[in-house]
Amino acid sequence: MIKVGLVGEDPNDTSSLKILLNKKYSGHVHFQPLLKRIKGHQLDSVKTKRAVGLEMSEHKCNFILFIRDLDGLHTQKDLIKAKNDWFSSLDQVCGNQNIFLLNIWELEAMIFGDIETFNKKYGTVIKADKNPMMISNPKEELKRATFKGRKRFEESHCPEIFEALNFDLVVKRCDFFGDFISQFDEKLKIKSK
């Protein structure tokens, strides 16, 4: 069993991603959330840099999966460079063996990879014709779509939604996640189907 630490901007993000990844890797990988009290820009602090290495050792993780939101589009190279620099600085203090998942705007973009599941849960009719990478503020778009509905979308619903998502559809429709899974498989030495 490979133990992979999870570090993200919000406990909802790490929980949601853990649920989604377990659909493929359960039984092979144990995902261990780290830095549970750290949120958002606290990940940029020197204190976090010291704490992450300690928690990695304490939980005996083989490597860490770092998760951040770009808060921009994939064409904004300056933002991508800043997030990659952040990852590199933490990767260095954790043995240069870690992996990075950079979401485009927010983790909620992956919900658009299997929007049919979301539509069933919320009674919405969002079309599946959008490239999730090109949706700015996907969280707000989901809130707007459910504003007048019987059930309004909230960020805290993400773990439940991710539990229902079709992993293969999300990989197929979300380029950034598909690329990440290829890298993750390579790291784990597991061949994709």
Side-chain angles (χ1 to χ4, degrees):
M1 180 75 79
I2 297 171
K3 197 167 190 178
V4 177
L6 293 176
V7 173
E9 295 184 5
D10 186 276
N12 280 325
D13 288 358
T14 50
S15 294
S16 299
L17 195 61
K18 178 180 175 179
I19 289 166
L20 187 63
L21 291 173
N22 271 333
K23 292 180 181 223
K24 178 171 182 176
Y25 301 105
S26 180
H28 303 287
V29 179
H30 172 77
F31 294 100
Q32 174 64 51
L34 304 175
L35 303 177
K36 294 176 186 172
R37 295 184 192 159
I38 303 293
K39 285 187 166 189
H41 292 291
Q42 291 175 322
L43 288 172
D44 300 325
S45 75
V46 173
K47 185 179 173 184
T48 297
K49 208 171 188 176
R50 282 188 293 235
V52 72
L54 290 173
E55 285 203 27
M56 180 183 189
S57 296
E58 183 180 305
H59 292 284
K60 298 180 174 47
C61 296
N62 295 87
F63 62 90
I64 297 175
L65 163 54
F66 290 94
I67 309 153
R68 288 297 300 262
D69 295 342
L70 181 62
D71 297 323
L73 294 173
H74 68 288
T75 54
Q76 294 178 276
K77 304 295 183 202
D78 55 329
L79 293 177
I80 292 172
K81 182 184 180 317
K83 298 296 181 179
N84 282 330
D85 288 348
W86 168 82
F87 169 68
S88 292
S89 71
L90 290 176
D91 189 35
Q92 286 174 5
V93 297
C94 297
N96 291 313
Q97 58 186 341
N98 306 290
I99 190 163
F100 187 34
L101 171 59
L102 182 59
N103 299 310
I104 299 310
W105 276 94
E106 299 145 337
L107 196 70
E108 284 81 355
M110 284 194 255
I111 294 171
F112 285 87
D114 181 12
I115 198 66
E116 297 87 355
T117 292
F118 183 87
N119 283 336
K120 282 180 199 163
K121 280 184 149 313
Y122 289 85
T124 51
V125 289
I126 301 169
K127 293 181 182 173
D129 59 351
K130 295 179 180 177
N131 178 348
M133 289 184 69
M134 300 306 290
I135 300 170
S136 59
N137 295 312
K139 186 186 312 178
E140 292 306 314
E141 191 157 330
L142 294 172
K143 286 182 176 179
R144 200 174 21 256
T146 60
F147 181 70
K148 293 182 179 176
R150 57 180 162 78
K151 184 177 180 183
R152 291 183 184 182
F153 169 74
E154 297 290 335
E155 293 92 328
S156 62
H157 299 172
C158 281
E160 180 187 329
I161 296 168
F162 276 65
E163 180 70 47
L165 292 179
N166 179 311
F167 179 87
D168 293 329
L169 272 181
V170 175
V171 168
K172 181 181 173 185
R173 293 179 180 166
C174 297
D175 295 347
F176 65 97
F177 189 60
D179 291 345
F180 165 77
I181 291 298
S182 296
Q183 293 171 17
F184 194 66
D185 283 344
E186 181 64 29
K187 190 149 192 71
L188 297 173
K189 304 292 183 202
I190 295 173
K191 293 185 179 180
S192 299
K193 292 180 182 177

